[in-house]
């Protein structure tokens, strides 16, 4: 019984790097070897150290995955680097319950939020400390690190959104974010 | 047509004070005169400057209120002060779609998130920079500033959650957060 009690929340956030401290958080790591097939340059990919870290995702799931009307809170950290001229990036996904939205906000570093709608139009939004991004339903999303330090992004999304990685794994995005003349460009 | 374009998001967040800069944000202000009836000490309330600010809420509503599966992002700023021995606080509410959850996280200052379930059990969680709070469905929530500076709290919630202020306006919370021996206490 917690009536009249003053408690601490179970999870605490370091506001500088968004590391979450507390019991019910889940940590996922993706090394380059987990991203086979998502970069264009096979030669460059074959020559790179596949054990190096590509990104991590830390999530607080206060309710179980699939619960209607709940929310999750997460932090994505994308490491700096390129495969050929293509920046390190996340796999990217639509939501399984595909109309579910999501908020992202930049915390540290520099990158791009690559977005694609169901008509396969692809565009991007610049991610930097304080950039705030609304990702509407039916929009695939992927983060790329275009800078020299870690890109750290906060996120909040519905607990019944789920992830549909399959569509992107099979068909990809309709454009790639590459470095041209020292600047990121969608081609 | 934005295919292949690199854009800036419409709204930017100052990560220090969570002020949102950008067009589609909405600002609400609540002065003490807007909070008539929520504090216990009528004498103290009658002697206070009712034109002083109690709190502000800034919200980005990328979709219209009531849209299913969307999200809103907001910032609450509660000013420091007391009415008698009771801290300045927000009106508090259940969600109108009462099963909808919400995330709060402390950004600046010091306070309490006062929570009450449908059985009218009331408890609180300490709010401070980095405290992260999951407010499940069917839980009324209210913020109180227990410190000497502004309490700033970030929030993310479903765009179809809505606000039910009525239940709290009529029946209140079952406990009050007051200062006793210099410390906040639920009584």
């Amino acid at each position: 019984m917690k009536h009249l009690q003053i408690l601490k929340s179970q999870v605490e956030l370091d506001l500088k790097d968004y590391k979450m401290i507390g019991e019910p958080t889940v940590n996922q790591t993706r090394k380059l070897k987990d991203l086979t097939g998502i970069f264009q340059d096979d030669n460059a990919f074959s020559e790179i150290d596949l054990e190096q870290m590509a990104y991590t995702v830390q999530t607080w799931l206060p309710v179980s995955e699939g619960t209607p009307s709940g929310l999750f809170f997460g932090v994505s950290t994308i490491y700096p680097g390129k495969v050929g001229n293509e920046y390190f990036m996340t796999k990217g996904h639509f939501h399984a319950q595909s109309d579910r939205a999501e908020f992202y906000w930049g915390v540290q570093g520099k990158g791009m939020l690559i977005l694609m709608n169901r008509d396969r139009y692809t565009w991007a939004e610049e991610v930097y400390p304080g950039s705030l991004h609304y990702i509407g339903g039916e929009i695939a999303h992927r983060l790329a690190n275009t800078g020299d330090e870690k890109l750290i992004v906060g996120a909040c999304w519905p607990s019944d959104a789920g992830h549909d990685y399959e569509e992107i794994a099979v068909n990809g995005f309709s454009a790639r974010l590459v470095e041209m003349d020292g600047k990121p460009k969608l081609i």
Side-chain angles (χ1 to χ4, degrees), chain A:
Chain A
M1 240 309 286
K2 51 189 174 182
H3 187 52
L4 302 184
Q5 287 186 25
I6 291 179
L7 309 167
K8 278 214 162 196
S9 172
Q10 297 165 279
V11 178
E12 203 177 282
L13 198 60
D14 183 320
L15 289 177
K16 284 210 190 97
D17 63 5
Y18 262 48
K19 189 175 159 50
M20 284 192 274
I21 303 143
E23 258 323 298
T25 60
V26 173
N27 294 286
Q28 290 175 294
T29 61
R30 295 278 179 268
K31 294 183 171 183
L32 274 182
K33 67 180 178 188
D34 301 316
L35 302 180
T36 305
I38 78 163
F39 296 99
Q40 188 162 38
D41 190 335
D42 288 334
N43 279 344
F45 196 75
S46 71
E47 284 166 14
I48 212 165
D49 172 13
L50 296 181
E51 288 299 326
Q52 67 180 297
M53 197 70 92
Y55 60 97
T56 63
V57 181
Q58 191 182 23
T59 310
W60 182 15
L61 302 93
V63 293
S64 50
E65 183 89 45
T67 304
S69 307
L71 293 169
F72 294 151
F73 192 101
V75 184
S76 294
T77 302
I78 299 93
Y79 284 67
K82 279 182 290 182
V83 177
N85 64 354
E86 204 172 6
Y87 302 101
F88 280 13
M89 60 183 169
T90 62
K91 290 184 183 187
H93 59 271
F94 287 96
H95 287 152
Q97 296 247 42
S98 59
D99 66 340
R100 300 300 193 265
E102 182 158 359
F103 265 108
Y104 274 180
W105 57 101
V107 175
Q108 262 190 34
K110 198 170 129 184
M112 290 285 171
L113 168 59
I114 306 168
L115 300 161
M116 181 177 74
N117 69 13
R118 291 289 183 185
D119 295 326
R120 298 188 57 76
Y121 289 140
T122 296
W123 68 101
E125 288 183 2
E126 293 175 31
V127 183
Y128 52 91
S131 65
L132 183 60
H133 309 271
Y134 183 70
I135 304 164
E138 312 297 350
I139 295 180
H141 38 290
R142 147 181 286 174
L143 287 162
N145 186 338
T146 62
D148 300 323
E149 53 169 334
K150 286 179 192 171
L151 171 68
I152 302 180
V153 176
C156 186
W157 68 99
S159 51
D160 63 354
H163 296 86
D164 170 11
Y165 292 109
E166 184 67 11
E167 168 66 24
I168 299 302
V170 173
N171 297 312
F173 279 64
S174 62
R176 291 180 176 276
L177 188 76
V178 297
E179 186 171 277
M180 282 180 72
D181 305 325
K183 286 200 303 198
K185 196 173 158 64
L186 277 173
I187 55 167

